[in-house]
Structures are given as structure tokens and as C-alpha cells.
């Protein structure tokens, strides 16, 4: 479906009115018509409050374009918000795919590991980050915190 297709225009119209439920229904119609619609799948994943619908939309978008940075980032944020163990795998994938923000993702990875109590892995991630960008003050501060918990 192109940008001017009627179903796509209806979805855009509902989105402009801030009616989330109507937008979700319209996006589901777009996906039912064109199962390879990456934009509609990603938008549906971001709007869905229902975890099952959101996961299906993420999986559909992921099967269409597994290297899309916006998709990987949205999926990571979702998994982290529900404390899913797969969030660690999601941030690792972001580290490899999104080279422009690799340092930021490495810091997020370290923070995630610290929040899960894996201070040894967090320390390793922080040292890797500091080898790439030695002047990252946030990473240095987190490393000092972690080093205090782990010991020498």
C-alpha cells in the first residue's frame, strides 16, 4: 500500500485526531491488507497497550526489517519497561546495529546489568565503553559505583 492508499490515509487521519483506539484499528486493517507494511507494524507496536498485540506487532515488523534501529530501540524500551529478560539481548543487538549511538547503548546495557544485580558483567561492559570513550563521565561514575559493590 502506498502513502495515498485509502486504508493508510484513514490510519493517518485517526492518528491526527489522537484517537488511539481508532488508529490501532485502522493500522490493524492496513496490516491485514498488506502484511509487509513495516511502518504500520512499528506504529501499531508503539501504540498498543495490550502486551500480546504489541509483541505480535514487534515480531511482524522485526520479520520485515530486522536491522531497523527505530524498531530495535522501541522493542528494547518495551522489553525493559516490562522487565523482560530478553531486554538484554535487545540492547546487545542495538549495540551492534546502531554504531552512531553505540556508547549510549553500552551505558544502557551496563545500567540494565546493574539493575539486575549482575555487577561483574556490568563492570566488563563499562570497561569496554571506557576503552572506546574514556571521558564518559556517566560511565565513570557508574563504574565507581559498581567497583564499590564488587570490590577489588
Amino acid at each position: 500500500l502506498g502513502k495515498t492508499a485509502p486504508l493508510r490515509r484513514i490510519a493517518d487521519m485517526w492518528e491526527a485526531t489522537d484517537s488511539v483506539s481508532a488508529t490501532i484499528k485502522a493500522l490493524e486493517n492496513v496490516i491485514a491488507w498488506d502484511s509487509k507494511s513495516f511502518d504500520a507494524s512499528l506504529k501499531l507496536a508503539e501504540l498498543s497497550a495490550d502486551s500480546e498485540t504489541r509483541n505480535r506487532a514487534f515480531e511482524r515488523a522485526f520479520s520485515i526489517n530486522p536491522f531497523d534501529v527505530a524498531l530495535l530501540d522501541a522493542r528494547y524500551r518495551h522489553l525493559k519497561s516490562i522487565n523482560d529478560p530478553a531486554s538484554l539481548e535487545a540492547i546487545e543487538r542495538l549495540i551492534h546495529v546502531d554504531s552512531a549511538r553505540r556508547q549510549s547503548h553500552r551505558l544502557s546495557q551496563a545500567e540494565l546489568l546493574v539493575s539486575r544485580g549482575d555487577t561483574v558483567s556490568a563492570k566488563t561492559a563499562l570497561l569496554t565503553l571506557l576503552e572506546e570513550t574514556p571521558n564518559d563521565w556517566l560511565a565513570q561514575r557508574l563504574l565507581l559505583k559498581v567497583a564499590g559493590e564488587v570490590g577489588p
Side-chain angles (χ1 to χ4, degrees):
L1 292 173
K3 292 269 185 207
T4 59
L7 284 175
R8 181 111 27 200
R9 293 181 77 170
I10 289 171
D12 292 343
M13 177 192 70
W14 283 117
E15 185 178 6
T17 64
D18 292 330
S19 175
V20 175
S21 61
T23 304
I24 288 173
K25 184 68 176 159
L27 289 170
E28 287 173 343
N29 288 335
V30 169
I31 292 168
W33 186 261
D34 179 15
S35 63
K36 299 276 187 203
S37 178
F38 176 76
D39 294 336
S41 296
L42 181 58
K43 191 168 294 286
L44 179 63
E46 291 172 348
L47 291 176
S48 296
D50 176 37
S51 186
E52 185 177 323
T53 304
R54 179 176 264 188
N55 287 337
R56 276 196 325 265
F58 273 129
E59 291 305 316
R60 184 180 300 109
F62 193 67
S63 70
I64 296 167
N65 186 356
F67 301 108
D68 184 77
V69 173
L71 167 66
L72 294 172
D73 189 50
R75 182 171 179 261
Y76 164 68
R77 284 185 281 110
H78 166 66
L79 292 172
K80 184 180 174 192
S81 72
I82 61 172
N83 292 324
D84 191 314
S87 59
L88 189 56
E89 178 254 326
I91 193 67
E92 287 173 2
R93 186 169 288 156
L94 262 171
I95 289 169
H96 295 293
V97 172
D98 188 11
S99 60
R101 294 184 300 177
R102 181 171 288 139
Q103 287 77 17
S104 173
H105 298 313
R106 283 199 192 278
L107 184 60
S108 295
Q109 178 190 35
E111 290 169 344
L112 183 63
L113 289 165
V114 167
S115 71
R116 292 189 177 174
D118 189 357
T119 53
V120 174
S121 296
K123 188 176 179 181
T124 303
L126 287 166
L127 290 173
T128 303
L129 169 60
L130 288 170
E131 285 176 1
E132 294 175 1
T133 55
N135 294 327
D136 190 327
W137 298 111
L138 294 174
Q140 289 177 7
R141 189 174 302 131
L142 186 57
L143 181 61
L144 288 172
K145 177 184 173 192
V146 170
E149 293 174 11
V150 174

